[in-house]
Each structure stands twice: as C-alpha cells, then as structure tokens.
Amino acid sequence: MGEGEASAMEMGEDEWVRVNRVVSMGRSLFKKLLFDDSDEDEIMRRVLKGSRVQRKRRQYIERDRLAGHKRLYLDYFADTPMYPPNLFRRRFQMSQNLFLRIQHKVEAYESYFMQKRDSAQKWGLSSLQKITTALRMLAYGVTADFMDEYLQIGEFTAMKSLKKFVKAVVDIFSKEYLRSPNNEDIARLLANGERRGFPRMLGSIDCMHWKWKNCPVAWKGQYSGHIREPTIVLEAIASFDLWIWHAFFGLPRSNNDINVLERSLIFSELEQRRALAVNYSINGHEYTMGYYLADDIYLKWSTFVKTIPSPQGHKNKLFAKAQEANKKDVERAFGVLQARFAIVRGPARFFHSETLQDIMKVCVILHNMIVKDERDVNKAVELDYEQIDDNPTIQLSRENTNTFTEFIETHQCIRDHKNHFQLQSDLIEHLWYQHLG
C-alpha cells in the first residue's frame, strides 16, 4: 500500500472529497494561468475561496507601553503625584508604602515582573503596570482587558500577570500572614476577650461561600447546595481587629459548616499538643484550651461557645446578646474582605479550582497585611501583656506529644459535651457578675 492510499484511508470521506475538489480546481486554474493573461493574485484568491480556506490573520495592536508606565508613575508614584494618598488608598485598597513593599518583594521573587526588552528591542511592561493590573482586577473584580486603555496591557498579559502575582504573594507572605497566633498574639486575644466579657476567647469562626459561575458542568452537582448554584466554601477564624488567623478554602458547597470543620486542620496542632496550651480559670473551674464563638450549627464541643436560641431570664438574655454581638467579628471580617476585593464578592469566572484557591488565599493575605499596616498603635488600647503572663490564672505553654494515647485523649477532650455546657454556664455567671459590678 502506497503513501497516498494510506493517507486516503486515514482521512474521512467528506475530507477526501474536498481535497480532490481543491486539487482539480487548482489544476484548471493553473492551465488558465498558462494560456490566459489573468492576474495571478486573482487566481490564488479564487483558489482559496473555492477551497473554503479562511486564514484568520492575527490583529496586532501597537501599544505604547512606556507611555502607560509614565502615566501611571506620574499619577501615583512620583514625588508630587497627581492624585493624593487618600485616593491611592481608595483605588489600590492599601497605602503606597505597602504597595511598594509588595512590589519590591514580588519583583525580586518572580523574574516575570522585571521590565525587559522584547525581540524587537523594545521595552516591555514594567512591574508597576503588571502589579497594578493584578491588584485592580482583585479590588474591582473587572475583566482582564479593563485596564488596557490606561496601562497599555493586553488581555492575555493581564491574565498572566494576575496568576503569577497571586502565586508569588502566596509563596512569599503565607508564612507570616497565614500563621497561627504565637504567644504574644494569644496574650493580646485573651486580654481583649477578658475586656469584652469572654475570658480565654481566641476569636470567632464561620464560613463564607463564593459563587463559581464558570464551574465545569461535570462538577456542578458536587458544588451546588440548596441554592442550586455552585459555590466554594471558605472557613475562617477572625479576631476583634478583623485579622483572619485561619483560612481553609476549597470544599464544595454541598458540605455544610460541620463537614468543612471535619476536613479542616483547625485543631490538628491542638490534638498533637503542638499548639500553645491556654490554662485559664473561670468561675472557679479550670480549663486548658481556648475557645471560639460559633453559630448554633456547630457541634457542642469544649472549644466552641454558642448562643442560647430562646433565652429565658436576665442572665441568659445578657449572655445571648453578648455572644451574638462578639461573634460578628468574623462576619465583619468577611464583609471587609469582600468590600476590599470585589473579585471574591462577585461570581468567580475562572475554570480551575487551583486558581480560585490562590486568589482566595492572596485576598486573605493582603487583607491581613492591610490590617497590620493600618493598625494605629497610638490609639490602640494599651494592654499590659507582662501582667497577663504573670497572672497565675493564665499560663501559655507548649506541650509536644508523640504518643497515640495522648492524641486520643486530647481529641476526646476537644469534643467533650460536658465541658461545653460547663463553660457556657461559667461564662453566663461571669458576664452577669461583670454586669452587676
């Protein structure tokens, strides 16, 4: 069997007929070219039209990249910029110093953001243009070509800049801004909880749902809940200053808050006794673990303090009011996170779940960076941490364990219903005495 016959067998019948038609048409037109004075370009146009081959030419747009960089620099980063710092803060969702710090770290970590010359020896986009595009897409939730007229950046480059930016920020700043609270942090959280009537409180826990517009059809049933729209769940723990200490993202919406809790690693360090142990005394009873304020859907564990659904009596009503008010810290954190980064407020338009996880993580990281940057030390409530550490009722320590028996004991202690009700009763009495005094 020859090569021509083998090729014919590989082609479909319709395709082979079309090829023969093109060849025969080309032969006839070639004969006409030899014996006629017809224009060669016209003949070739008729060949292409007859074969129905439509070659789509790539449209090239000449962008003045240097002019875009100069415009951005004069507007926001010059010694005397056109727009004042308050407008920079509103449009970039952060101060200029914090932006420049991120830009310096990202440019040093990822060579993609360094300004280079292309094959035509023309200067490419600067790191200011690429990072500004990524931040505007995060802050405003706009499409990739929204910044083209102002920054002279194409749609493909904008999308690539966003993906590389979120990846770089997660790799650089996760260790610092997605960490567990240390000794000093816990002391500050405990002192603030004591001042608000909840001693030994470490924060509040809840879940947020992000709608996934472009969820693959094969996954829609898995990611859809009672609202019949695919969403992804974020579990978070936030403190009084809106700092997000724990962020677990990626589970489908078909899981409720309890299922997400079982999959997250929120208590893994505590179960392995690698977390800081908090020894505390409330109403004459000793406790060894911190707790979080939670909704009624969460289980009755010793690490959760929930409200009373239908409180009866002044003590229970006072406790329910205080618990529901202080538990809103995490809801306020979700609201501020969505207000700062509209990309997590609107429906997600990306197709890959890995990209969505990086975007959610980078929004939490940037949120914590902004919280730390804008924390006013002079106006903050001064707390005597040394006095807290010297207080005999509070001890912060770290106990490591490698035995399976100790792991099981701690695991059961976390899920102890008896301790849950005892802690709730002690807090009710503590708030009532604090209210009377």
Side-chain angles (χ1 to χ4, degrees):
M1 184 182 297
E3 296 183 357
E5 296 177 358
S7 301
M9 293 181 63
E10 294 177 357
M11 294 183 181
E13 182 178 359
D14 296 338
E15 186 178 3
W16 182 247
V17 172
R18 182 178 61 81
V19 171
N20 286 332
R21 187 185 301 115
V22 172
V23 172
S24 61
M25 184 178 298
R27 289 174 179 174
S28 62
L29 291 176
F30 181 75
K31 292 179 181 179
K32 186 175 182 180
L33 176 64
L34 293 177
F35 300 101
D36 195 4
D37 295 334
S38 301
D39 184 63
E40 182 179 358
D41 294 337
E42 177 65 17
I43 293 176
M44 293 304 300
R45 187 188 65 80
R46 292 171 60 185
V47 170
L48 295 177
K49 183 178 179 180
S51 61
R52 297 181 181 178
V53 177
Q54 300 293 335
R55 293 186 178 181
K56 184 179 180 181
R57 294 184 178 181
R58 179 181 177 183
Q59 185 178 5
Y60 178 74
I61 300 176
E62 184 68 29
R63 294 180 174 88
D64 195 345
R65 303 163 186 167
L66 293 181
H69 169 77
K70 183 178 179 180
R71 185 186 303 114
L72 176 64
Y73 179 80
L74 294 177
D75 287 346
Y76 296 103
F77 299 98
D79 295 335
T80 56
M82 177 181 295
Y83 298 102
N86 63 324
L87 289 182
F88 186 98
R89 167 65 182 81
R90 187 174 70 183
R91 293 172 181 175
F92 287 83
Q93 299 298 323
M94 63 182 65
S95 64
Q96 187 186 85
N97 293 332
L98 180 58
F99 177 91
L100 294 177
R101 177 193 167 197
I102 296 174
Q103 183 249 345
H104 175 72
K105 294 282 188 180
V106 170
E107 187 177 6
Y109 179 83
E110 177 58 64
S111 60
Y112 172 79
F113 292 94
M114 297 180 62
Q115 191 174 21
K116 311 180 189 70
R117 292 184 182 271
D118 58 12
S119 58
Q121 298 303 314
K122 293 183 179 180
W123 281 108
L125 297 165
S126 65
S127 60
L128 290 179
Q129 291 171 283
K130 294 178 181 179
I131 295 178
T132 299
T133 301
L135 280 177
R136 291 291 179 90
M137 293 177 66
L138 294 174
Y140 292 95
V142 294
T143 56
D145 60 345
F146 182 78
M147 302 296 297
D148 190 7
E149 297 91 341
Y150 178 65
L151 295 178
Q152 300 296 302
I153 183 171
E155 180 181 3
F156 176 80
T157 308
M159 290 294 299
K160 188 175 181 180
S161 300
L162 174 65
K163 294 179 180 180
K164 287 188 173 293
F165 175 76
V166 297
K167 188 67 175 177
V169 171
V170 170
D171 294 342
I172 297 171
F173 299 105
S174 290
K175 187 176 181 180
E176 181 179 359
Y177 293 96
L178 281 181
R179 59 177 174 83
S180 301
N182 54 28
N183 200 326
E184 182 181 353
D185 298 326
I186 291 180
R188 185 174 66 252
L189 294 175
L190 292 178
N192 185 270
E194 177 71 29
R195 183 170 56 88
R196 302 167 75 181
F198 286 90
R200 210 172 60 89
M201 181 187 68
L202 297 176
S204 53
I205 183 173
D206 203 354
C207 290
M208 184 186 79
H209 304 278
W210 187 15
K211 182 181 176 181
W212 193 0
K213 179 180 179 181
N214 289 334
C215 176
V217 177
W219 294 356
K220 282 190 175 180
Q222 179 183 1
Y223 283 83
S224 300
H226 65 280
I227 60 176
R228 305 301 180 185
E229 291 183 351
T231 56
I232 311 179
V233 184
L234 168 67
E235 180 191 71
I237 293 177
S239 57
F240 64 97
D241 57 354
L242 304 184
W243 185 288
I244 299 177
W245 294 105
H246 165 77
F248 179 67
F249 177 78
L251 290 187
R253 175 61 181 90
S254 56
N255 294 274
N256 56 21
D257 296 5
I258 300 176
N259 303 133
V260 176
L261 177 65
E262 294 288 351
R263 297 280 297 275
S264 68
L265 303 177
I266 178 176
F267 296 125
S268 61
E269 291 188 354
L270 183 60
E271 291 172 337
Q272 300 172 15
R273 295 191 179 181
R274 292 188 288 107
L276 291 172
V278 181
N279 300 318
Y280 207 87
S281 176
I282 304 178
N283 199 29
H285 294 91
E286 298 293 334
Y287 297 94
T288 59
M289 292 182 296
Y291 61 87
Y292 304 98
L293 302 183
D295 283 334
D296 193 57
I297 189 177
Y298 284 90
L299 300 174
K300 297 177 178 62
W301 291 359
S302 60
T303 51
F304 294 138
V305 171
K306 306 192 296 182
T307 186
I308 301 176
S310 300
Q312 301 294 329
H314 296 292
K315 291 183 180 180
N316 293 341
K317 290 181 179 180
L318 178 64
F319 170 80
K321 181 179 179 181
Q323 194 275 349
E324 294 170 6
N326 288 278
K327 199 206 74 67
K328 292 187 179 296
D329 290 343
V330 64
E331 298 177 8
R332 288 172 50 234
F334 287 151
V336 173
L337 180 69
Q338 292 179 336
R340 284 175 173 164
F341 304 104
I343 193 171
V344 298
R345 183 175 68 244
R349 298 183 178 89
F350 294 89
F351 293 95
H352 301 287
S353 59
E354 294 82 5
T355 304
L356 298 181
Q357 292 184 16
D358 290 337
I359 291 176
M360 182 60 73
K361 285 182 180 180
V362 79
C363 289
V364 173
I365 291 172
L366 293 177
H367 168 81
N368 288 341
M369 295 179 73
I370 296 170
V371 169
K372 182 179 179 181
D373 183 65
E374 296 182 351
R375 188 177 293 161
D376 193 350
V377 181
N378 297 326
K379 295 183 180 180
V381 178
E382 294 295 337
L383 300 174
D384 193 353
Y385 301 130
E386 296 182 357
Q387 183 180 359
I388 295 173
D389 294 338
D390 295 337
N391 192 330
T393 60
I394 302 177
Q395 295 179 359
L396 303 178
S397 61
R398 187 185 297 272
E399 299 178 359
N400 296 326
T401 179
N402 294 322
T403 64
F404 184 73
T405 304
E406 293 178 347
F407 175 84
I408 294 298
E409 291 178 356
T410 308
H411 182 82
Q412 293 176 352
C413 184
I414 292 175
R415 291 159 172 77
D416 192 346
H417 291 193
K418 182 179 179 180
N419 287 342
H420 169 80
F421 289 108
Q422 182 64 53
L423 177 60
Q424 186 183 62
S425 177
D426 290 338
L427 288 175
I428 291 174
E429 296 296 332
H430 177 79
L431 282 170
W432 182 251
Y433 292 147
Q434 195 176 54
H435 175 70
L436 294 179

